[in-house]
């Protein structure tokens, strides 16, 4: 093991321990919804993720101009509908905060037409105003794009009041809720792509980090209107993530109490065809970004997906999963070069 690998593993392991301590604070037993998984079996993977979300009824609130950008907030009702009838009822009656989609939109004040980048955040990210003010302008300036930061289910302003932390309900042993959270992420993002296609002056792409990277990969398979997709530190092997990621230990233990292990999750995912999905975007419009020493959403699994997708453009940085933060400058420079090479600017 070289020095960089040792440092990357130490950082990822430390973050795992800290995150696991937060996750273990859960006091309520996760409901066992394994029996409800059969409700998905009559549907193809295209029906589960590729249905047309339609155009959302967006409420747009202008926040003014700051640091060379026009700032806006938008919201719209999530039109996602769960397959499982019991969860659909709970979704309508017990998750009001999660059923409204929120996003922050920053546009260059000069008004010049640019691509719009939908940014998809990581798991447990708070999406605070401070994060927006620091992160979004950096993305917008470096990539020369307008940026739309989408709040994924159970995060940011969609966090349920009773949740202990942002994203608590996204990854749990309640596999129906977990699967629907991913479906809702894709559905809401696709609705936003459609709306931006009507109101934004340029093409629309997506960049997602970690959990957001998994959503970006899924969008590359089910949203042909995207101009590009940049998944960062991500793969689509849900059972593999459950097996590899130490921070998912609480989820793994709770599933074991329900009688399932990673192999059962893998078999179920395979039965739905999740392990066989392929992009609808041309391979040259997808940029894989991965750390060489990722211990959380592991490099080996990202590499296997990259191989199966016929080796799209790739950037490998010398770090682990949390190396996203320390290598952000290099990631953005490579992403800028990738976007410029697509010849999508007006």
């Amino acid at each position: 093991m070289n020095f960089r690998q040792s440092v990357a593993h130490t950082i990822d392991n430390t973050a795992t321990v800290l995150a696991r301590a937060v996750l273990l604070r859960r006091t309520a037993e996760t409901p066992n919804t394994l029996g409800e998984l059969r409700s998905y079996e009559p549907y193809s993977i295209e029906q589960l993720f590729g249905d047309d979300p339609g155009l959302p009824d967006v409420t747009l609130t202008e926040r003014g101009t700051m640091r060379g950008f026009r700032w806006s907030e938008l919201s719209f009702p999530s039109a996602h509908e769960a397959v499982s009838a019991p969860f659909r009822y709970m979704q309508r009656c017990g998750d009001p905060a999660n059923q409204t989609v929120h996003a922050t939109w920053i546009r260059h004040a000069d008004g010049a037409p640019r691509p719009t980048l939908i940014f998809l955040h990581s798991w447990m990210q708070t999406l605070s105003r401070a994060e927006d003010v620091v992160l979004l302008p950096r993305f917008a300036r470096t990539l020369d794009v307008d940026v739309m930061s989408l709040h994924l289910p159970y995060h940011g302003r969609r966090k349920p009041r009773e949740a202990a932390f942002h994203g608590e309900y996204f990854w749990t042993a309640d596999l129906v809720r977990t699967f629907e959270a991913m479906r809702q992420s894709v559905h809401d993002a696709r609705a936003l792509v459609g709306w931006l296609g009507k109101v934004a002056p340029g093409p629309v792409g997506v960049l997602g980090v970690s959990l957001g990277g998994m959503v970006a990969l899924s969008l590359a398979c089910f949203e042909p209107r995207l101009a590009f997709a940049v998944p960062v530190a991500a793969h689509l092997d849900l059972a593999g993530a459950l097996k590899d990621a130490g921070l998912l230990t609480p989820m793994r233990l709770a599933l074991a109490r329900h009688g399932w292990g990673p192999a059962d999750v893998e078999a179920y995912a395979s039965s739905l065809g999740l392990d066989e999905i392929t992009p609808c975007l041309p391979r040259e419009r997808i940029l894989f970004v991965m750390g060489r020493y990722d211990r959380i959403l592991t490099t080996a699994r990202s590499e296997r997906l990259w191989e199966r997708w016929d080796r799209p453009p790739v950037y490998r940085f010398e770090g682990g999963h949390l190396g996203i933060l320390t290598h952000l400058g290099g990631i953005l420079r490579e992403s800028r070069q990738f976007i410029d090479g697509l010849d999508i600017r007006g």
Side-chain angles (χ1 to χ4, degrees):
M1 181 182 297
N2 62 41
F3 177 73
R4 288 180 176 176
Q5 184 176 5
S6 177
V7 170
H9 285 182
T10 299
I11 294 171
D12 280 0
N13 291 341
T14 301
T16 293
V17 170
L18 295 174
R20 191 162 54 201
V22 172
L23 293 167
L24 287 169
R25 291 174 55 196
R26 288 178 178 148
T27 55
E29 181 67 22
T30 306
N32 182 352
T33 57
L34 297 179
E36 278 299 307
L37 293 178
R38 67 174 66 94
S39 61
Y40 298 94
E41 292 172 1
Y43 299 92
S44 69
I45 200 68
E46 288 76 19
Q47 289 172 314
L48 290 172
F49 285 92
D51 58 318
D52 183 2
L55 288 178
D57 183 13
V58 170
T59 299
L60 183 66
T61 304
E62 298 290 348
R63 296 300 187 194
T65 302
M66 181 175 65
R67 298 171 62 189
F69 295 100
R70 294 170 53 202
W71 291 75
S72 308
E73 304 287 344
L74 64 86
S75 62
F76 58 89
S78 176
H80 164 261
E81 186 149 303
V83 171
S84 161
F87 184 79
R88 188 162 60 243
Y89 176 80
M90 189 279 294
Q91 185 181 44
R92 288 171 177 168
C93 301
D95 271 341
N98 188 53
Q99 292 310 106
T100 299
V101 183
H102 295 274
T104 299
W105 191 15
I106 70 167
R107 289 162 283 176
H108 290 257
D110 63 12
R114 291 175 172 86
T116 297
L117 175 78
I118 298 176
F119 172 65
L120 303 171
H121 57 82
S122 61
W123 186 37
M124 301 174 72
Q125 193 166 331
T126 62
L127 300 166
S128 66
R129 177 65 64 193
E131 289 177 302
D132 283 351
V133 169
V134 172
L135 191 63
L136 301 190
R138 183 176 181 186
F139 276 53
R141 288 195 179 95
T142 305
L143 301 178
D144 193 25
V145 296
D146 296 331
V147 178
M148 178 80 75
S149 177
L150 175 65
H151 295 209
L152 294 176
Y154 307 114
H155 291 81
R157 275 174 261 168
R158 304 177 72 172
K159 172 183 172 289
R161 184 176 302 173
E162 65 275 14
F165 54 88
H166 293 265
E168 178 181 9
Y169 294 161
F170 201 108
W171 291 123
T172 75
D174 179 348
L175 290 190
V176 166
R177 188 196 286 269
T178 294
F179 189 44
E180 289 296 348
M182 183 59 77
R183 287 188 67 232
Q184 188 171 27
S185 298
V186 173
H187 191 279
D188 294 344
R190 294 189 66 216
L192 192 55
V193 171
W195 183 79
L196 284 168
K198 297 293 184 181
V199 303
V204 178
V206 62
L207 184 150
V209 175
S210 191
L211 167 61
M214 299 176 79
V215 179
L217 287 166
S218 302
L219 288 168
C221 296
F222 299 109
E223 183 42 79
R225 294 172 293 185
L226 283 176
F228 61 87
V230 183
V232 181
H235 58 68
L236 287 174
D237 187 345
L238 304 184
L242 185 63
K243 187 184 300 182
D244 300 333
L247 57 89
L248 293 182
T249 297
M251 179 180 176
R252 191 163 56 246
L253 293 174
L255 272 174
R257 290 193 291 272
H258 298 334
W260 269 35
D264 300 288
V265 176
E266 182 175 27
Y268 182 74
S270 179
S271 74
L272 293 179
L274 282 170
D275 58 345
E276 297 178 355
I277 60 174
T278 54
C280 63
L281 297 185
R283 58 179 294 282
E284 62 271 13
R285 293 186 176 268
I286 305 169
L287 174 65
F288 272 68
V289 177
M290 62 184 84
R292 294 186 185 275
Y293 314 119
D294 197 322
R295 296 288 299 274
I296 296 176
L297 292 176
T298 61
T299 307
R301 296 188 190 277
S302 296
E303 291 278 5
R304 280 199 285 273
L305 183 64
W306 175 73
E307 290 276 2
R308 188 163 69 79
W309 282 14
D310 195 26
R311 299 188 173 192
V314 60
Y315 171 61
R316 299 175 178 89
F317 59 88
E318 296 291 325
H321 199 77
L322 272 293
I324 297 166
L325 302 175
T326 55
H327 291 80
L328 183 58
I331 291 170
L332 291 180
R333 284 192 297 273
E334 288 291 329
S335 298
R336 172 65 184 267
Q337 184 176 343
F338 166 73
I339 293 169
D340 287 350
L342 296 175
D343 194 26
I344 59 173
R345 299 188 186 274

